[in-house]
Amino acid sequence: MMIFLIICSAWLLSLIVVCAWKYSLFKKTWNEFYFADTPVLIESDDWGPGEGFHAQRLLQLLACLASHKDSVDRAALLTADIVLSVPDIEKIMVDPDAGYHRKLLNEASPDIYQVMLQGIQQGVLVPQLHGLEHLNGQAFARLCQLKDSRIAAALADPKHWDWESLDSVLQGHYVDGSELPSQAISSEQAQSLITLASQTFIKLFGFQSLSSVAPCYLWNSDIERVWQQKGVSVIQTAGYRCDGRDKLGNYHQNLNLIRAGDLSEFAQVYLVRNVMYEPIDGNNNADTAYQEALVAYAQALPISISTHRYNYTRGEEEFKNSLKGLDRLLKAIGSNIGRIRYLSSPELGQQYLMDGIEIVNHFNNSQWKPLKQLSGIRKLAPFLWRLYYRHPKLVLLAYISGLIIPASLVCRYSR
Ligand SMILES: [Zn+2]
């Protein structure tokens, strides 16, 4: 008994010391959002103009999502990050002023566009602005005029060429990566591109994009300012912001740590992708994605799955494997994690910004009850998990002091 009391006293003393030392960190972490319902997002970048067969692939992907239902009987849905246009290479080549010309999604790929509209009506697709295009138009036009070898494939077969085949340094939209280090576009260019993107998005989908994710995760605070003027109040991220590439092509971060729920300089809320399901890349799959989903769930965070279009638009066999894996991942999440809620990114963002408001899908006018938050002592276990996954030095200290034992007991029995 005496030994037990001595151990408890030592833990208490250690706890007081650690709390005093890390008070502001603990306070900030405690004051974050903790979700009682687990939001599940499926974020898929790069949907837009493409080969005709993309329409069928998207149709099958959406049919798979429709077969999964959450705790309020809502179907799984794709937050489809839309590229609104592709370059009109033939026009660019004959323009004496070397101007950039584009073909919009509905003109270039009407079948894909129709499948998107159908998915929107069925509630299994919510469009989100990715970019007016997935490249820098001015730089691309200049390279066309120069017949630059880096775009030789585009010039050789403009009708079947895909921007995904460009060097990744040329795929950024809000930077010019044709020469390194890359250059951010000017404020005037940002204003004009985002204004046109915003107008085009409303024209194609009937409502503004309240959220956005920048192509190649390359954007800066100037872009955020213009987004904000155009009604973008939610920014999807991978947990950091990059404003360009250095002379070797490496990403340069100017916000190197973003947590879900953090606010930008312009009061937009950041979301963070925390589950990678990109099987084509070969370094993750449904099993690793499921493990990441469990880690997010333990911390009462949203499960935000990143799964790009290219997983579903390569060869038939690769497509089937990607789709089968996604189906398996959603089954595992649905069966083993209680009270999941399928949501799109703008909807989740609005929950962060206005706690307790109805969830509204503005694209098909459906409404869903708001997400529930954890409060008081019910936050303790996920709070401890957040400390555990984010701060390895604290974890080490917890092992040395023995505090890991009571912390583990809390985590094990409280949720
Ligand atoms: Zn992209």
Side-chain angles (χ1 to χ4, degrees):
M1 186 64 181
M2 184 58 87
I3 294 174
F4 179 70
L5 284 175
I6 291 170
I7 292 173
C8 285
S9 305
W11 281 346
L12 192 61
L13 189 64
S14 308
L15 192 61
I16 291 168
V17 171
V18 174
C19 285
W21 175 42
K22 290 287 177 189
Y23 176 73
S24 58
L25 171 73
F26 289 178
K27 188 178 169 197
K28 184 174 184 295
T29 309
W30 184 261
N31 287 334
E32 292 176 3
F33 272 64
Y34 289 80
F35 291 98
D37 300 311
T38 303
V40 179
L41 286 80
I42 303 153
E43 276 269 336
S44 193
D45 287 1
D46 304 339
W47 291 96
E51 295 283 335
F53 71 89
H54 289 194
Q56 273 307 314
R57 297 284 182 84
L58 181 58
L59 208 53
Q60 290 178 67
L61 172 56
L62 297 180
C64 168
L65 297 184
S67 69
H68 293 273
K69 296 282 168 58
D70 68 6
S71 58
V72 295
D73 210 32
R74 184 179 189 183
L77 68 156
L78 196 73
T79 302
D81 297 300
I82 307 286
V83 178
L84 292 165
S85 74
V86 282
D88 188 334
I89 296 170
E90 283 150 338
K91 266 197 192 163
I92 294 170
M93 291 305 289
V94 296
D95 185 337
D97 301 320
Y100 180 76
H101 299 268
R102 57 179 66 87
K103 282 190 271 197
L104 294 178
L105 164 66
N106 55 328
E107 303 154 359
S109 300
D111 291 352
I112 298 173
Y113 175 55
Q114 284 308 317
V115 172
M116 288 177 179
L117 293 183
Q118 194 181 316
I120 287 170
Q121 280 315 309
Q122 290 169 349
V124 287
L125 185 150
V126 164
Q128 169 172 265
L129 176 66
H130 196 22
L132 187 54
E133 43 258 332
H134 209 300
L135 42 76
N136 181 292
Q138 284 193 353
F140 188 82
R142 195 173 62 246
L143 296 178
C144 281
Q145 296 293 328
L146 295 170
K147 297 197 170 51
D148 190 286
S149 61
R150 289 174 291 174
I151 58 158
L155 300 180
D157 189 4
K159 283 207 163 58
H160 298 102
W161 170 81
D162 190 330
W163 57 264
E164 282 180 334
S165 65
L166 282 174
D167 284 353
S168 71
V169 292
L170 297 177
Q171 291 187 19
H173 182 46
Y174 299 119
V175 300
D176 176 352
S178 60
E179 284 176 28
L180 295 173
S182 64
Q183 290 295 316
I185 60 172
S186 68
S187 292
E188 293 71 34
Q189 284 176 305
Q191 187 75 38
S192 118
L193 277 181
I194 296 170
T195 300
L196 183 56
S198 177
Q199 290 166 348
T200 307
F201 191 94
I202 293 170
K203 198 172 107 195
L204 293 186
F205 299 113
F207 195 81
Q208 68 188 119
S209 189
L210 298 174
S211 53
S212 193
V213 55
C216 304
Y217 300 125
L218 284 164
W219 81 102
N220 58 22
S221 64
D222 198 34
I223 300 298
E224 291 180 353
R225 181 182 57 78
V226 186
W227 274 342
Q228 195 251 6
Q229 290 169 0
K230 298 296 162 198
V232 172
S233 55
V234 182
I235 301 173
Q236 181 63 250
T237 79
Y240 50 83
R241 181 179 69 187
C242 295
D243 58 0
R245 290 175 182 264
D246 65 18
K247 60 184 179 192
L248 297 174
N250 300 315
Y251 278 96
H252 175 263
Q253 295 183 353
N254 80 348
L255 273 184
N256 56 16
L257 182 63
I258 295 174
R259 303 270 187 221
D262 285 354
L263 293 180
S264 78
E265 204 180 326
F266 305 98
Q268 294 140 311
V269 68
Y270 290 118
L271 305 181
V272 176
R273 294 173 176 176
N274 52 10
V275 173
M276 294 299 120
Y277 178 65
E278 312 278 10
I280 291 291
D281 293 345
N283 49 10
N284 57 61
N285 54 41
D287 296 326
T288 57
Y290 178 59
Q291 292 308 315
E292 289 175 332
L294 291 179
V295 169
Y297 170 63
Q299 300 174 77
L301 285 168
I303 294 172
S304 186
I305 303 167
S306 172
T307 186
H308 281 66
R309 178 184 74 164
Y310 59 72
N311 293 290
Y312 309 94
T313 52
R314 299 271 171 92
E316 190 65 28
E317 205 54 38
E318 291 163 305
F319 164 63
K320 279 185 183 152
N321 287 338
S322 295
L323 191 61
K324 210 161 80 185
L326 181 67
D327 189 46
R328 196 153 60 83
L329 172 62
L330 295 181
K331 270 192 188 124
I333 290 173
S335 316
N336 301 319
I337 295 179
R339 290 173 54 183
I340 62 160
R341 294 287 301 276
Y342 288 120
L343 244 68
S344 68
S345 292
E347 294 161 10
L348 177 63
Q350 297 309 308
Q351 293 290 295
Y352 273 109
L353 290 169
M354 287 171 277
D355 185 21
I357 60 155
E358 289 282 305
I359 293 167
V360 182
N361 176 355
H362 293 283
F363 296 93
N364 74 350
N365 293 316
S366 55
Q367 293 199 5
W368 307 89
K369 62 180 184 181
L371 297 177
K372 288 202 176 75
Q373 307 287 329
L374 292 173
S375 60
I377 197 71
R378 295 177 66 219
K379 287 176 11 182
L380 186 57
F383 165 77
L384 291 172
W385 279 119
R386 289 188 192 188
L387 297 178
Y388 178 84
Y389 284 113
R390 296 174 183 179
H391 306 290
K393 283 184 189 160
L394 268 182
V395 175
L396 183 65
L397 191 67
Y399 274 103
I400 292 169
S401 63
L403 280 173
I404 197 76
I405 297 171
S408 304
L409 292 172
V410 168
C411 290
R412 182 168 181 147
Y413 292 109
S414 68
R415 202 173 177 213

